[in-house]
Amino acid sequence: MMKLTNCILVACVALLLSMHMHSSEGATDEDVERLFEDKVKKGNSKIRPVKNQSERVEVEMSLFMVAILDVNEVQQSVEATIWMKVFWKNELLVWNPSDYGNLTLIYPPKENMWKPDLAMSNGYNELAPVGLDFVLLKSCHDGQTVWTPGQKVHFLCKIDVSKFPFDTQTCNMEFLNWAGTKEETSLKYRDPEIELPYGHVAYPNSEWTVTGM
Ligand SMILES: *[C@@H]1O[C@H](CO)[C@@H](O)[C@H](O)[C@H]1NC(C)=O
Ligand SMILES: *[C@@H]1O[C@H](CO)[C@@H](O)[C@H](O)[C@H]1NC(C)=O
């Protein structure tokens, strides 16, 4: 849920969306190659990453608002650029760092890795996958995996302009995992651990302030 308040803002600064990096000091290219050979190459993107295939993959997602691009009363829709952090555990890609020169983090290729099929269910256009495909996955030795795609979204929101120009709108962004059942994959929201410079948005909009998420 997102709250927008109509107002005027002029400032604009750049933001570095920094990500926490794990150190892989000590590991050589041979360690990485060996790990890929042992664990990554046999990975299959079609197989859910749980040892017991009757168990659910628990996916969590945080959402960051990069910018509000347009709030359209006629279409009753909002366009925004968002950035997501999607987390899950890959039980099939777990290793002991000391066996691989203390390597704790790798960027495995997508074709060898399962990832959730996220879509926006209140999108303005047809149901389309969320998350650009070129964005790398990051996998930690304990199986924790993170995917941080960002993109432009256009979604439906009931906009009431009766109080213009001091109106507040509440809009929902609804996501689902469109492939598979609830028994196979769950999707939960996780509050972001990063503060954005303009409260809830990275770049301010000249007309709207995001006052809550
Ligand atoms: C891995 O970490 C251990 C403990 O910190 C250290 O003793 C060892 O030298 C490290 N190995 C490499 C290859 O850096
Ligand atoms: C797999 O998970 C199901 C559901 O949690 C459980 O009933 C079953 O005993 C598990 N099988 C094994 C081999 O652990």
Side-chain angles (χ1 to χ4, degrees), residues 25-26 101-102:
E25 272 172 55
N102 294 345

Side-chain angles (χ1 to χ4, degrees), residues 1 18 75 129:
M1 196 173 71
S18 63
Q75 289 180 342

Side-chain angles (χ1 to χ4, degrees), residues 70-77 157 159-161 164 207-208:
D70 187 38
V71 177
N72 191 319
E73 314 77 79
V74 178
Q75 289 180 342
Q76 296 276 295
S77 72
C157 176
I159 293 161
D160 172 10
V161 290
F164 176 85
E207 251 184 292
W208 296 91

Side-chain angles (χ1 to χ4, degrees), residues 73-146:
E73 314 77 79
V74 178
Q75 289 180 342
Q76 296 276 295
S77 72
V78 173
E79 272 183 273
T81 308
I82 59 165
W83 174 53
M84 289 169 285
K85 251 181 142 171
V86 188
F87 308 86
W88 66 92
K89 184 168 180 176
N90 186 338
E91 292 179 0
L92 311 178
L93 182 56
V94 172
W95 70 93
N96 191 346
S98 59
D99 295 341
Y100 298 94
N102 294 345
L103 184 64
T104 55
L105 176 81
I106 56 167
Y107 297 87
K110 285 256 182 49
E111 52 274 24
N112 299 108
M113 296 283 287
W114 178 92
K115 69 175 174 54
D117 291 306
L118 300 177
M120 208 168 192
S121 53
N122 66 333
Y124 185 78
N125 300 310
E126 72 278 10
L127 187 73
V130 169
L132 298 176
D133 235 23
F134 70 86
V135 181
L136 292 174
L137 297 174
K138 275 205 293 194
S139 279
C140 222
H141 65 96
D142 59 0
Q144 297 302 332
T145 302
V146 62

